Amino acid sequence: MFYNGAMALDRDLHIAVATAWGTSATGPNSAWEMLSATGVRGLRVLRESGAFARLLATDSGGPASVVLEANVARYADRGATSRRWDARAPAADGPFDHVDLDPFGSPLPYLDAAFASLAPGGLLSVTATDMIVLAGSDAPATRRRYHAEPVHGRLGPEAGLRILLRAISDHAEARSRSVHPLVAYVRDHYVRAYVLVGPSDRPAPVGTIATTTWEGPPLRAAGLAGPMWLGPLFDREFLERLQVPATAALPEPLARLLSRFRDEAVADVPFYYEPNEIAKALRLSNPPRTDRLIEALRARGRLTGRTHARDGAFRTLGTRSEVYEVATALAMGRPEPVVPPGNGSRTPHSGDP
Ligand SMILES: C[S@@+](CC[C@H](N)C(=O)[O-])C[C@H]1O[C@@H](n2cnc3c(N)ncnc32)[C@H](O)[C@@H]1O
């Protein structure tokens, strides 16, 4: 559903985030696109968000650099400059209000330079495409590179996003700062997060999950999963301010993605349920329908919403036993009792932060 024109959609979202963030930032703002390739992302954000008065676009070289220089030169009057630069080192002309880190593979080699170049309170965006490592297909590499135990199978990519957020949070903590995710999401071959980096005012919601006592969706992991980010992926107030840019290349898919983010942000807890996995666990002959499950959990007062991470899947503040009870009742054709809404929640994470 969300996978066509992945990069165009991803850049549309970047423009939406920069626009919403820029309206509350003090400005005039500066940005550094650390790994620019041809510069399309940075230049679109500069032109279409109006959030920046200055953009530095760097790349280490290769055939794209000639194109980068030519592309950026066209926007010199808008404050764009380009340079060949090894982005593992901070750019000399920082700090920047926004730093974007979008590598092939792991962002870890660039995080120190990103943090060193980010102004206090700045916006950092980070992509990781090393999903074989983050999402559990090569657990020894996850342990070596990210010092974490991955989750295998369908929930592996979300665990990968959370492991990445923990790595970003660790870098912040080492500089006595903390991260606040505005939007963090999973797509087919990568994960990406937009975080504000501010003063460190409380412990980061980071920890491991003991998979045998965990009350959320079942996780395939070796005893402990993580350490990973167990806090929210979204800032609900910020999501309300995101709008589809007039210049979006893919306005309808972006509108659907934003609407899905808003849906799931009401139940922004680690990991999601899928009807077919529930049916497998309960040995039901047919998976219950997602909309019926959501309706029944909400009728019990449990905040529940569809997730962007997989079509047909949902997050809930209900416990696993509640989800299973509801699914069993639906499979047996029993109406679910309606319970007046309470606070409706399992704790956002019953892990071990
Ligand atoms: C995934 S692409 C960037 C895509 C770009 N952000 C976009 O949205 O179009 C990664 C880029 O990183 C560049 N690169 C690789 N290592 C680098 C380094 N150490 N410093 C700077 N750029 C580097 C590559 O040349 C490549 O152009």
Side-chain angles (χ1 to χ4, degrees), residues 203-260:
V206 157
T208 51
I209 294 176
T211 52
T212 47
T213 52
W214 161 247
E215 295 204 320
L219 298 178
R220 283 178 52 208
L224 286 181
M228 62 177 79
W229 179 265
L230 298 170
L233 299 179
F234 300 100
D235 177 314
R236 283 178 73 184
E237 188 270 332
F238 186 77
L239 284 184
E240 291 309 317
R241 287 166 35 210
L242 288 182
Q243 286 182 359
V244 175
T247 54
L250 296 169
E252 281 159 25
L254 180 61
R256 284 201 297 274
L257 185 60
L258 295 183
S259 148
R260 195 55 72 78

Side-chain angles (χ1 to χ4, degrees), residues 275-276 278-279 282 284 286-293 326-328 330-331:
N276 54 349
I278 297 172
L282 299 176
L284 305 175
N286 287 312
R289 276 175 37 188
T290 306
D291 53 350
R292 305 279 308 278
L293 285 164
V326 158
T328 308
L330 286 173

Side-chain angles (χ1 to χ4, degrees), residues 7 10-11 33-42 58-62 64-65 85-88 100-104 110:
M7 285 306 103
D10 199 65
R11 292 173 188 143
E33 188 185 18
M34 301 176 84
L35 306 133
S36 290
T38 57
V40 176
R41 174 185 292 274
T58 58
D59 204 274
S60 58
S65 287
W85 186 256
D86 183 339
R88 287 170 297 182
D100 178 73
L101 169 48
D102 179 29
F104 291 128
Y110 308 98

Side-chain angles (χ1 to χ4, degrees), residues 127-181:
T127 305
T129 63
D130 55 338
M131 295 310 287
I132 288 175
V133 178
L134 280 169
S137 304
D138 184 354
T142 325
R143 291 177 203 126
R144 244 186 353 261
R145 196 179 285 173
Y146 288 94
H147 309 292
E149 197 59 47
V151 169
H152 303 276
R154 294 161 85 86
L155 295 174
E158 177 174 333
L161 172 62
R162 293 181 179 279
I163 289 169
L164 172 69
L165 278 168
R166 192 222 77 221
I168 299 171
S169 169
D170 286 354
H171 273 262
E173 206 164 85
R175 294 171 181 273
S176 305
R177 292 197 250 170
S178 67
V179 299
H180 174 77

